[in-house]
């Protein structure tokens, strides 16, 4: 996906979050223990604001970040809608190759556009599921999210990836995309092909992404091979 596609996703999913939250701010969010929908809306809005400021160069990293005052629930959705549109417009006006702080291997605005899209998409699923609308994450953004998790998020966990390695294949049949990753001995790297994988998980791109972010149990999915290898992988991916 291109940065422009990520920003289309951010705007769409932000408005879906706001629609789901309307009149339901006190509903609990089962996939985010301890949160109500109002907490989810606030969190996503703050994340979008933070990354917008980083992309613009107003912040050089989290050490300069000060969280704003939280609006009351009667003003929260208006604040969120305005903030989401402002963030999208700001990011759209920047060169995706513009240097910026990130926690990933890529240090540019393009990374930020993707990260904001992924954060918003997964929390959109959280918000919808909280109001009994268990809708899948859109296929393209879900597949992109699996790729981001394996290529950017997991490598950042390298201190927690010690011990024996296992190879896990993830197969998204709905988009015809496979990923194979070897995790352990202090690293995580994508490899080619499924041959030699200790375990293979087959599901939709949405369910694979939700599995990686702890939203879907693996017993709901097709798992072939060594279940213990999958459990070790998922335990390492939790943070």
């Amino acid at each position: 996906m291109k940065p422009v596609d990520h920003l289309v996703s951010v705007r769409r999913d932000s408005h879906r979050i706001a629609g789901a939250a309307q009149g339901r701010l006190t509903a609990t969010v089962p996939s985010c223990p301890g949160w109500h929908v109002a907490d989810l809306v606030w969190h996503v809005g703050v994340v979008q604001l933070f990354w917008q400021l980083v992309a613009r160069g107003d912040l050089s990293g989290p050490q300069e970040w000060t969280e704003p005052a939280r609006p009351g629930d009667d003003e929260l959705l208006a604040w969120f809608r305005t903030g989401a549109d402002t963030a999208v417009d700001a990011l759209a006006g920047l060169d995706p190759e513009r240097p910026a702080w990130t926690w990933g291997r890529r240090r540019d605005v393009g990374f930020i556009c993707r990260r904001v899209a992924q954060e918003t998409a997964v929390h959109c699923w959280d918000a919808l599921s909280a109001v009994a609308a268990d809708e899948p994450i859109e296929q393209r953004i879900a597949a992109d999210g699996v790729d981001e998790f394996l290529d950017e998020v997991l490598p950042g966990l390298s201190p927690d990836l010690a011990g024996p390695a296992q190879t896990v294949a993830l197969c998204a049949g709905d988009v015809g995309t496979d990923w194979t990753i070897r995790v352990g001995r202090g690293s995580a790297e994508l490899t080619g092909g499924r041959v030699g994988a200790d375990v293979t998980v087959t599901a939709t791109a949405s369910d694979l992404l939700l599995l990686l972010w702890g939203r879907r149990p693996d017993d709901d999915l097709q798992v072939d091979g060594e279940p213990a290898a999958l459990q070790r992988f998922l335990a390492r991916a939790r943070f």
Side-chain angles (χ1 to χ4, degrees):
M1 293 179 68
K2 297 179 180 179
V4 65
D5 301 316
H6 288 129
L7 296 180
V8 168
S9 178
V10 173
R11 198 184 298 274
R12 178 194 66 227
D13 287 340
S14 294
H15 285 281
R16 292 177 76 203
I17 289 172
Q22 188 72 49
R24 304 181 183 94
L25 289 174
T26 59
T28 58
V29 185
S31 52
C32 301
W35 279 11
H36 295 90
V37 170
D39 301 313
L40 184 149
V41 170
W42 166 245
H43 170 77
V44 177
V46 165
V47 167
Q48 293 177 349
L49 175 60
F50 168 79
W51 283 117
Q52 171 193 337
L53 295 175
V54 170
R56 285 169 30 190
D58 296 334
L59 295 177
S60 62
Q63 73 280 357
E64 296 181 358
W65 166 248
T66 300
E67 193 170 279
R70 177 169 169 169
D73 283 1
D74 57 335
E75 300 175 344
L76 184 62
L77 287 179
W79 170 85
F80 175 74
R81 288 188 176 100
T82 299
D85 286 339
T86 300
V88 169
D89 291 343
L91 291 171
L94 298 173
D95 182 345
E97 296 184 2
R98 174 188 171 119
W101 175 89
T102 75
W103 47 255
R105 292 180 290 187
R106 287 176 54 200
R107 302 296 179 94
D108 58 27
V109 170
F111 175 98
I112 291 173
C113 293
R114 186 188 206 188
R115 178 84 293 272
V116 173
Q118 291 301 329
E119 182 91 14
T120 306
V122 172
H123 283 313
C124 180
W125 182 89
D126 291 327
L128 291 169
S129 64
V131 299
D134 186 4
E135 299 177 14
I137 297 170
E138 190 269 331
Q139 286 181 331
R140 289 183 68 209
I141 199 72
D144 182 72
V146 173
D147 192 73
E148 185 213 35
F149 191 96
L150 299 179
D151 195 41
E152 292 283 359
V153 177
L154 268 184
L157 299 175
S158 57
D160 300 319
L161 301 178
Q166 65 267 189
T167 302
V168 178
L170 303 176
C171 306
D174 58 329
V175 293
T177 304
D178 297 349
W179 300 264
T180 303
I181 187 162
R182 185 170 178 78
V183 179
R185 299 193 177 95
S187 67
E189 65 175 320
L190 286 164
T191 63
R194 295 189 236 170
V195 177
D198 298 309
V199 62
T200 299
V201 184
T202 303
T204 64
S206 176
D207 280 347
L208 289 175
L209 183 59
L210 294 170
L211 172 72
L212 293 173
W213 285 109
R215 266 73 171 176
R216 278 274 191 258
D218 59 275
D219 54 10
D220 285 350
L221 311 178
Q222 180 182 331
V223 178
D224 300 300
E226 301 177 26
L230 177 61
Q231 293 309 314
R232 287 194 299 272
F233 168 75
L234 293 175
R236 287 165 159 171
R238 299 288 182 260
F239 56 94

